[in-house]
């Protein structure tokens, strides 16, 4: 660390207003070369706004942006890039129609003679970057076929290509697997050693404290505090972010079983999510939260998708509340069987962003509650308000478009859609991804409330801690199959991880390496 | 946590801001309505004959086929779709109606139903191509349009079919209560369309599908059925319009209505309905129709060259949609949302600044974070 | 330069071949006209091929070029598809290749378009037509004379891109000057299609409810114009003057729905044009009394020598007895050809 | 780098699977090429005159205006856009060229340049409306199309302009080396277009913009400039095509080319290029052109009713795009991805997944991060 060197990034009195919202107000930030500055704050605090302003994606309403001493205020992403800014944005920004390699070199191809593509060097460089990050995506794979995690890795590769002076990582680890996370930390340290200025944004406070030199806390668009990382503790950070001490959520936790009955709400037999995968047999009782733990890409979402009628399983039988039902072929059919899903991609699968939140909450119920198919708005608003109250969504949000809600509120709306349904089976996929600490607690309490009212909840999350803490029972998923049922005894995270990585001595576990996703399997062998 | 610290310095400015936003919002949101009003006032001042009943009825009669098709086209566009095949269906229905009007076996109302049914079938095919085969709506309907018009040409050999059963001309020429039947059909479509869109479950589902197909599907909506239904309705309307024009001309002409599909879409777009789906309203289509009809009439009344009409139509189209886009960028997004929640309560619908209530505000009172900010 | 002997040196058999170019196969007038041409060719022992350009001038230009390149035609009978002059280059190429050309309905390569009396069609070709400026003058004159009271009138004119647009306008200007009691409230170019005429007339009548007289320059358009007037409730108050009356037009003249109609000679247009090209091919000055070159003015044709063109309720039966109208109710479309 | 470590038990199945996937992939990817081949073989068997030089040249000449416009339209569509204004520009350029050919002050090549420049300006306006005002491309170009064609009508009063300067007809009728000039222009556009799309940085950027505008913008591409440039190119092509047709017809007709924009788009889509952008290739547009041209010619040569042609065109269009969609759903996305980085060195360039020995980290130097990272 060289405190004498001139700052790599300097934001002076930057403000950015959106209609109705001041997302950033009088924000000052100086980042020196060779340091890591973390930005933390709850959802909507303005962290990504800092990134967008710095990277030239948006023009600040007031204030100046300097990169390496040059003024780049509002001159667009190309200018910022020339000044050495490399960004991994929070939203996924891959071009689906292009290959992985093209995506990495998007806007920064390696050229021969200044005009022709130097394919060989790009391929070599791609391989280097991939090895560095421990990423195994073939260079010619279409980005369309990538999982979220893989796409995220590509974006990190893109940011690492070329000569970065400033590297901005906006929630880079929100959806990448553990192994890659560790590699990323190493790379961050390595880059720091080389004098790159790094801005790091994450909701994982342990990670933040681990990686960064300085931590700045934002709240409501204003920088509340900035201190060296050693000056912070996790509780202090949370207090600063929220402006108060968080209320303890209603703690469920594995093993504490207030209302669990012995009535199975969901029984799944001989389910194969794809022709190659192993059979799944499991059941969920009323009143319990079952956590599906798995690594990224292990097939948890696929299992939920089969149950919710999003994709046909290749085999299996299903009983809901003791009744044998035909396997649902559509979400509408699943809902009739009593199975509802809060999907993982809330922006595309969860909400109609152009509609007001109230309409979103009312979407599943309006048909059944309407008389002669004619809507009563007052009734609808009433229904929406009661759902909103149950999930802790402020009622002022009801009139806003879903588009304009923060991530946490959007997630509450996704849960709220189904809350009044009283469905016996409630599937919840990654409800806390990218959601701040406070909202997470509220979401956990909503899930527990659901279970308490007699629903069977299946809960998927990539945060192992979270699964362990908030489920009554944990199932380990690997390659599209349940490799271990831990029952009502809490596994420690080491045992769980071992099961997830397939180092488990369980007899029935570990189907062949590449049996889950046929398209991937083909790709592997065809090279 | 002191609840008294109201953000005093902000209040006056925010009221001002709200007001100015309000008037700008009206200007942007109702820009086309304003244009229509200006046009109506201007033309009726310049030409006293404009506001006569006979002129207005004639105008309505003249635009009836396009307008009748514009009503379900509004649904198609709001549901995120597009239909270029209505021109072909229109021509085919025109021929079919005239053909049924030569034999004498069919009554004219049965013939109308047959035309509507044929339109529905074509619409269904469009819908299936688009939702099941996943063909882009533009391409699918361009294709079926070619096919249907081609079949109409083949069936007639391109030669007009002259209707002989005289009762078949009633549909296009008779009046009920002084208003021609096609105008009644047009008014009925508009009213029913507006009601369906704004007051029924189906209408709201159309908005939902257009605004986010995947989310709607996961909410249990039958998105394929919904989208297909809009194309079927567009087909029915094209069938009815084709029958009307055949009846008015007492001739079935397979070459009729070349380019009428673009006219229909122009009407919808001139109202400021975005092609991206999920937004819009029937009154907007009606306003678009009004602007184009009055403009055309003005050109006729004032004996201006009809060539300028094309120029002006183009300008109106661009202005309408630019106004809409500009409005959205100015953050009036919430106000243009097609929801009764918002439009019926425009007073308080404005978003309060600061989406900060994200914080776990379990208490209903003012959000604590607000205070420490200002 | 073009006058040396037979055009096509390598005609394989003794039978000669004529190509007829038609703008559209979906219009009564053109179909009748081309039928006349085909009949004339066949009855004189010529092979004949018909090309349809679907109202696409560029396509017609290609067809003429292709037929020239095919080197198997002795003569072309061309009814131009688009604006005047649109196939001019291709016609000149054909003539350079020794092919004889007769234009029908619209002359080709006519720089003085719209103004002239057709007296001098392009050198080396003939032009056959009946819609002369003089006849258009008679047409307007007849209507104004029959309705001396005066008032507002409107014209649904030929397409602006069509030669007759200019001729009609010139004729009207000349005649209207003599009838100051009549005021024009619209001279609207149509496109020979019923639906367009309906829309345009609806616009005119909505704007000018006091309209007294409506000229419609093609019976296909008159159907639409009448539909517009009757649905606006003005069928009784507006006198309709039709041009090129068809079967329906005759019926309506008879029943008094149309006041006057000018009958058309499409069949003769095609027939005489073909006779003229045969005269050129055979190297004669004329064939069956039709000259090889120059303007063949059908307003002097024997078929209308006695009756003239003006059809009214009083003389409609005389016309019908003389074999009018030429436009059949539903003519069969013609088979289009392969140029090779 | 141990080439022997193949996953043995998988091999036989995978080869079979690969083969079947392979043949299906070929069928889907090259479906339109197959159709074209079948058509060519079929038509030339049935009609020996089809494959004559004269017929083919004539065919090319006839299709030249549409084809010349289809080349940049391919760029527009791949960049995620759409251009309905080319018909208007075409008509305006036709009039302008003819007008310049009446005065005698201008040479014909200057006139051609003026037409191209006018097209470029119209394209720029389109591009600015679309990228700066953020108007939907369909609406913007429909609007400018109306305006430009209207202006052409107004300027001429709808009356054709007859060219008098004889040298002006050379562009459309002269041949160089036995091939007419318009056909040369068409061939040159196709070749240059294919090269630009597949081999240049600009081409790759067009794909990127169409495939993900936001991602491209944030990666530092000038997305507005890129998109605008495609519209400008489309305008230039329309200007040139308009001049060609004026020269061929020795007439400037403002009513010419009604609906030609849909023909141009049909050509592009018939090649199987998706309207959603980001994908496609110039050879696809060429194949689409070939299929439509040969079909039309077949109808002419075999003396079939041209009415059926419309039916068949529609069917081809739907088939082409359904094939493409179906291919994508079958997971053939990789094959249709326009990547030349990879295709140029198909032999050894692939990074095997999970086979990290491909990464040259071990042999190329001690630590990969040392090299270009900072
Ligand atoms: N395009 C936009 N239009 C309107 N408001 C916006 C827009 N983008 C962001 N906002 C608002 O600006 C505020 C700050 O958003 P920002 O994305 O910077 O938050 P964040 O701290 O990154 O949150 P998260 O942790 O959820 O990513 C929020 O209130 C958000 O709703
Ligand atoms: N549409 C698709 N095309 C190709 N592969 C897919 C597709 N959807 C999922 N996969 C693959 O199937 C596997 C299982 O994915 P799934 O989403 O069910 O896993 P997950 O455990 O929920 O992981 P994630 O954290 O990514 O959501 C992954 O390897 C993924 O890459
Ligand atoms: Mg963020
Ligand atoms: Mg998942």
């Amino acid at each position: 660390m060289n405190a004498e060197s001139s700052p790599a990034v300097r934001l002076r009195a930057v403000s950015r207003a959106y209609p109705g919202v001041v997302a950033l107000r009088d924000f000052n930030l100086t980042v020196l070369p060779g340091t890591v500055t973390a930005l933390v704050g709850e959802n909507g605090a303005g962290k990504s706004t800092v990134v967008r302003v710095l990277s030239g994606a948006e023009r600040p309403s007031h204030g100046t942006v300097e990169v390496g001493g040059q003024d780049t205020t509002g001159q667009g992403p190309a200018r910022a890039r020339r000044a050495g800014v490399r960004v991994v944005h929070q939203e996924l920004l891959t071009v689906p129609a292009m290959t992985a390699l093209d995506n990495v070199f998007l806007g920064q191809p390696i050229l021969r003679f200044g005009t022709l593509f130097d394919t060989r060097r790009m391929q070599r460089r791609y391989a280097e970057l991939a090895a560095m990050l421990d990423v195994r995506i073939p260079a010619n794979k279409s980005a369309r076929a990538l999982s979220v995690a893989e796409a995220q890795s590509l974006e990190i590769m893109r940011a690492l290509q070329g000569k970065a002076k400033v590297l901005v990582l906006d929630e880079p680890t929100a959806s990448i697997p553990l192994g890659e996370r560790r590699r990323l930390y190493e790379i961050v340290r390595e880059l720091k050693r080389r004098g790159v200025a790094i801005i790091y944004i994450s909701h994982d406070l342990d990670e933040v404290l681990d990686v960064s030199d300085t931590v700045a806390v934002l709240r409501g668009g204003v920088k509340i505090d900035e201190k060296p990382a050693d000056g912070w503790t996790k509780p202090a950070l949370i207090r600063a972010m929220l402006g108060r001490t968080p209320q303890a959520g209603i703690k469920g936790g594995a093993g504490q079983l207030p209302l669990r009955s012995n009535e199975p709400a969901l029984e799944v037999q001989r389910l194969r999510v794809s022709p190659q995968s192993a059979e799944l047999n499991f059941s969920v009782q009323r009143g319990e939260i079952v956590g599906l733990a798995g690594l990224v890409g292990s097939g948890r979402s696929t299992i939920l998708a089969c149950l919710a009628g999003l994709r046909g399983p290749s085999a299996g039988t299903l009983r809901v509340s003791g009744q044998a039902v035909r396997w649902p072929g559509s979400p509408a059919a699943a809902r009739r069987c009593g199975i509802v899903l809060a999907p993982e991609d809330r922006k595309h699968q969860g909400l109609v962003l152009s509609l007001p939140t109230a309409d979103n909450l009312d979407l599943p119920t309006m048909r059944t509650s309407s008389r002669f198919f004619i809507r009563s708005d007052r009734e609808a608003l009433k229904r929406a308000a009661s759902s909103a109250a149950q999930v802790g969504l402020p009622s002022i949000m009801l009139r806003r478009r879903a588009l304009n809600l923060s991530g946490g509120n959007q997630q509450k709306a996704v849960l709220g859609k189904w809350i009044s349904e009283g469905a016996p089976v409630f599937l919840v996929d990654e409800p806390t991804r990218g959601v701040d600490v406070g909202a997470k607690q509220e979401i956990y309490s909503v899930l527990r409330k659901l279970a308490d009212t007699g629903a069977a909840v299946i809960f998927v999350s990539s945060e192992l801690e979270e699964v362990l803490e908030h489920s009554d029972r944990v199932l380990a998923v690997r390659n599209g199959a349940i490799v271990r049922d831990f029952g009502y005894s809490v596994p420690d995270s080491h045992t769980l991880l071992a099961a997830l990585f397939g180092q488990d001595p369980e007899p029935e576990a570990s189907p062949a390496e590449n049996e889950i996703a046929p398209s991937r399997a083909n790709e592997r062998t065809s090279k | 946590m002191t609840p008294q610290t109201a953000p005093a310095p902000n209040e006056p400015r925010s009221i001002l801001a709200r007001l100015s936003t309000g008037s700008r919002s009206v200007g942007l949101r109702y820009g086309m309505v304003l244009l229509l009003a200006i046009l109506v006032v201007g033309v009726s001042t310049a030409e006293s004959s404009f506001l006569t009943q006979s002129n207005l009825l004639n105008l309505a009669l003249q635009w009836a086929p396009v307008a009748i098709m514009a009503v379900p086209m509004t649904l198609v566009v709001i549901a995120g779709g597009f239909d270029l095949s209505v021109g072909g269906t229109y021509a085919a229905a025109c021929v079919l109606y005239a053909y049924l009007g030569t034999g004498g076996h069919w009554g004219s109302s049965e013939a109308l139903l047959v035309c509507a049914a044929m339109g529905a079938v074509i619409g269904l095919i469009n819908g299936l191509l688009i939702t099941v085969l996943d063909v882009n709506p533009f391409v699918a309907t361009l294709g079926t349009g070619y096919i249907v018009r081609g079949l109409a040409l083949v069936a007639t050999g391109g030669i007009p079919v002259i209707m002989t059963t005289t009762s078949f001309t009633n549909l296009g020429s008779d009046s009920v209560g002084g208003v021609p039947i096609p105008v009644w059909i047009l008014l009925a479509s508009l009213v029913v369309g507006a009601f369906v869109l704004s007051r029924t479950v189906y209408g709201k589902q159309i908005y939902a599908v257009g605004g986010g197909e995947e989310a709607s599907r996961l909410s249990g909506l039958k998105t394929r059925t919904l989208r297909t239904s809009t194309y079927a309705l567009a087909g029915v309307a094209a069938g009815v319009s084709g029958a009307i024009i055949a009846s008015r001309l007492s001739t079935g002409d397979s070459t009729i209505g070349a380019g009428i599909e673009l006219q229909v879409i122009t009407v919808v777009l001139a109202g400021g309905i975005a092609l991206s789906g999920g937004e819009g309203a029937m009154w907007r289509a009606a306003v678009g129709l009004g602007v184009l009809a009055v403009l055309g009439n003005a050109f006729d009344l004032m004996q201006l060259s009809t060539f300028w009409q094309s120029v002006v139509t183009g300008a109106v189209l661009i202005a309408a949609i630019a106004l809409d886009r500009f409005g959205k960028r100015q953050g009036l997004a919430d106000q243009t949302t097609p929801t009764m929640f918002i439009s019926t309560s425009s007073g308080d619908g404005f978003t309060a600044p600061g989406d900060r209530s994200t914080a776990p505000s379990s208490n209903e009172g003012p959000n604590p974070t607000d205070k420490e900010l200002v | 330069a073009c006058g040396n002997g037979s055009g096509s040196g390598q005609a394989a058999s003794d039978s000669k071949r004529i190509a007829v170019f038609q703008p559209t196969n979906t219009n009564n007038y053109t179909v009748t006209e081309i039928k006349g041409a085909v009949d004339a060719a066949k009855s004189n022992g010529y092979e004949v091929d018909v090309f349809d350009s679907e109202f696409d001038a560029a396509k017609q230009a290609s067809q003429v070029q292709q037929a020239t390149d095919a080197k198997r035609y002795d003569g072309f009978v061309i009814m131009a598809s688009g604006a005047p002059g649109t196939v001019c280059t291709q016609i000149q190429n054909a003539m350079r290749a020794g092919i004889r050309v007769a234009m029908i309905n619209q002359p080709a390569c006519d720089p003085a378009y719209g103004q002239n009396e057709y007296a001098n069609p392009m050198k080396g070709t003939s032009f056959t037509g009946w819609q002369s400026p003089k006849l258009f003058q008679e047409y307007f004159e007849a209507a104004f004379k029959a309705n001396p009271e005066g008032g507002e009138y409107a014209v649904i004119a030929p397409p602006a891109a069509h030669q007759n647009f200019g001729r009609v306008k010139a004729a009207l200007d000349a005649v209207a000057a003599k009838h100051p009691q009549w005021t024009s409230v619209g001279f609207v170019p149509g496109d020979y299609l019923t639906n367009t005429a309906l829309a345009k007339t609806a616009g005119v009548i909505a704007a000018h409810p006091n309209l007294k007289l409506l000229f419609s320059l093609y019976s296909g358009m008159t159907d639409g114009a009448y539909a517009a007037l009757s649905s606006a409730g003005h069928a009784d108050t507006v006198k309709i003057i039709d041009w090129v009356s068809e079967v329906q037009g005759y019926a309506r003249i008879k029943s008094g729905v149309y006041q006057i109609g000018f009958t058309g000679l499409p069949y003769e247009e095609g027939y005489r044009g073909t006779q003229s090209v045969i005269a050129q091919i055979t190297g004669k000055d004329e064939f069956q009394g039709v000259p090889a070159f120059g303007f063949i003015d059908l307003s002097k044709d024997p078929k209308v020598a006695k009756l003239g063109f003006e059809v009214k309720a009083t003389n409609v039966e005389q016309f019908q007895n003389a074999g009018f109208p030429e436009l059949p109710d539903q003519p069969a479309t013609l088979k289009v050809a392969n140029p090779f």
Side-chain angles (χ1 to χ4, degrees), chain A residues 47-49 90 170-171 201:
Chain A
K47 305 178 295 292
S48 298
T49 308
Q90 185 177 9
D170 193 350
E171 301 198 23
I201 296 173

Side-chain angles (χ1 to χ4, degrees), chain B residues 102-125:
Chain B
T102 54
H105 302 302
W106 294 73
S108 61
S109 11
E110 285 105 308
L112 181 64
L113 283 181
V114 170
C115 288
M118 181 199 64
V121 169
I122 296 169
L124 276 178
I125 293 173

Side-chain angles (χ1 to χ4, degrees), chain A residues 300-302 344 429-430 433 460:
Chain A
R300 296 156 301 169
S301 298
T302 312
E344 63 181 328
D429 200 353
E430 308 273 10
R433 179 180 284 171
V460 167

